Amino acid sequence: MAAQGAINDGATVLTPSHSTSVSALCVWEDKLYSAGKDKDIREWDISSLALLRTFKGHTGWIRALVAGPFYLFSGSWDDTVRIWSLETGVCAFVLSCPSANALYYEPATLRLYSGGGYSRVVCEWDVSTGVLTGEMEPRDQQIGGTVGCMVGDGVRLFVGMTDGAISLYNLDTGTGMGFFDGHAAEVTSIVLLDEKCYSSGNDRRILEWDVPTGQLLRRFEGHEAFVSALAVVPPPVSDSESHDSGPLNGQAEADAHEGKLISGAWDGTVRVWDLVTGTAEGYLKAHRLSINALVNVNDKLFTADAEGAIKSWNLESIPAPPPHLDAVAISMTPPPARHLFNPYVFPPPMPPYYQALPPHMMYTQHPSQASGPSTTNAPQFRPRPPPQGGQICTFFLQGRCRFGDACRNIHPPPVVDANGMGMAL
């Protein structure tokens, strides 16, 4: 087992690597898709790890990827979302979405949902036409952040906000269902398993929520850096469940589990959590710099970092954590009180806030890009406030800022210590 702090060398590195930071990974069928700061999307064969195709067209950092039958979707800081044909590799539609950070696709309704860093608004698109069909926005004024990540289950949409809240929407009606509020900083990733929701944040914690009641069940602690990505391993389907042949026995019983949670952080570490005991059963120092995305496929785990590297790991071979590593889930029953309000009481359904738009109305450009005043009633996004005494962060541009992707290039200038080493404030 690699010593703590040393990079584990038990991985296969996908080549050729991206030239700079990889921000998004997704899987569809037997293909892996990756994208990041170099503006390219790459398609990999999961079995051979060979590079198959490269999708080009974005002019800014690609922040989100999602795939489904026939389509690949990408969101970028060039203020667009692109819809690609998986068959031909051609871009079918370019949608205007300021600073697109998050995407979710529901193939049953051919609807794509997108959100960006300028607004709390979630946009709904008809994939077959590229038309904006509606918008959703939290009405509760205590949710003051913007969209950072999202995931859905076909019925509900879970949207992670930069202020630590998670907004829930009914996908059929566009009605707000309430919100979870337990993180002290930006929500970076959300995954679902059965009726449980797991969220990670820049407060270095992972929270487990009971979706029907909105109650916070457990808090997973142990990461020493911002937790940037999550994935889940569902419990195996036993012979007794699939064939009704009785209980498991022997090795099959020993290998059974109730699901696992995988988390990656900005210090380059990966933890694998047992969801029954709440303890970390696996630990890796996988990358030198931050892990920005991870995804699992069967017994493979793919991790991507700020240097452009994508690594493939065997989940069954991830070593146990060092004995001194303190990583455990803390029960939150009864949930603690917060200073503003009790966030764990699931609010009643909110009034509908789903604005259906005429079929002909396409999403307009951001006001700052338009050549003249807007003549439509499209939503006006609030631009990010200008820097106050800040400057471009050179560490961010090099992919090694302490604030990682949340830096957005603007904060007080870096300082240099006595040894000549710099770090962002």
Side-chain angles (χ1 to χ4, degrees), residues 156-399:
R156 297 160 296 202
L157 183 67
F158 301 74
V159 181
M161 311 296 285
T162 56
D163 65 350
I166 301 174
S167 298
L168 275 68
Y169 300 96
N170 183 307
L171 288 179
D172 185 43
T173 64
T175 303
M177 299 174 63
F179 64 97
F180 303 153
D181 188 66
H183 285 284
E186 179 178 357
V187 179
T188 56
S189 182
I190 305 172
V191 293
L192 307 173
L193 182 60
D194 298 327
E195 286 296 294
K196 299 294 191 298
C197 170
Y198 299 89
S199 58
S200 63
N202 285 349
D203 53 5
R204 301 181 295 178
R205 292 174 173 174
I206 303 166
L207 303 182
E208 178 187 59
W209 305 88
D210 181 67
V211 174
T213 64
Q215 182 177 359
L216 178 62
L217 301 178
R218 291 185 292 181
R219 185 177 71 231
F220 294 76
E221 295 194 343
H223 276 289
E224 298 175 351
F226 295 170
V227 186
S228 51
L230 295 177
V232 290
V233 181
V237 178
S238 67
D239 290 339
S240 61
E241 293 173 336
S242 57
H243 300 104
D244 196 22
S245 58
L248 296 174
N249 54 70
Q251 186 61 40
E253 183 176 4
D255 292 340
H257 60 83
E258 294 299 322
K260 299 178 182 179
L261 181 68
I262 307 170
S263 56
W266 282 4
D267 58 2
T269 63
V270 171
R271 285 168 169 78
V272 180
W273 306 82
D274 184 315
L275 290 179
V276 175
T277 65
T279 57
E281 65 176 24
Y283 173 86
L284 280 174
K285 174 62 176 176
H287 295 267
R288 187 176 70 90
L289 296 183
S290 65
I291 294 175
N292 296 332
L294 58 80
V295 65
N296 61 298
V297 186
N298 299 324
D299 60 347
K300 287 184 177 180
L301 172 67
F302 295 95
T303 57
D305 71 9
E307 294 181 290
I310 303 172
K311 296 183 179 181
S312 173
W313 308 85
N314 186 328
L315 270 174
E316 301 301 322
S317 302
I318 294 180
H324 63 275
L325 186 70
D326 185 17
V328 66
I330 301 173
S331 175
M332 303 301 290
T333 306
R338 283 280 293 259
H339 61 285
L340 292 178
F341 57 97
N342 184 354
Y344 311 114
V345 176
F346 202 59
M350 295 182 183
Y353 198 77
Y354 189 84
Q355 299 177 346
L357 299 180
H360 66 278
M361 182 178 292
M362 296 296 292
Y363 199 87
T364 60
Q365 285 185 304
H366 188 276
S368 64
Q369 298 175 316
S371 57
S374 174
T375 58
T376 73
N377 59 351
Q380 301 298 304
F381 288 86
R382 295 184 300 272
R384 183 173 292 271
Q388 297 181 1
Q391 65 181 34
I392 297 295
C393 175
T394 57
F395 295 101
F396 176 85
L397 299 177
Q398 296 168 7

Side-chain angles (χ1 to χ4, degrees), residues 92-167:
F93 294 104
V94 178
L95 314 178
S96 179
C97 180
S99 190
N101 284 332
L103 299 172
Y104 169 70
Y105 177 53
E106 180 46 55
T109 58
L110 293 178
R111 291 297 186 265
L112 174 70
Y113 299 87
S114 66
Y118 292 118
S119 173
R120 307 191 305 167
V121 173
V122 174
C123 298
E124 181 193 74
W125 307 88
D126 184 331
V127 169
S128 62
T129 63
V131 171
L132 178 70
T133 55
E135 296 178 329
M136 295 178 287
E137 180 179 9
R139 284 203 162 186
D140 197 303
Q141 295 304 312
Q142 294 182 88
I143 301 178
T146 57
V147 175
C149 60
M150 66 175 69
V151 71
D153 60 4
V155 178
R156 297 160 296 202
L157 183 67
F158 301 74
V159 181
M161 311 296 285
T162 56
D163 65 350
I166 301 174
S167 298

Side-chain angles (χ1 to χ4, degrees), residues 21-38:
S21 180
V22 178
S23 304
L25 296 174
C26 76
V27 168
W28 178 248
E29 295 181 338
D30 58 348
K31 304 296 191 298
L32 171 73
Y33 298 90
S34 62
K37 195 173 181 180
D38 62 5

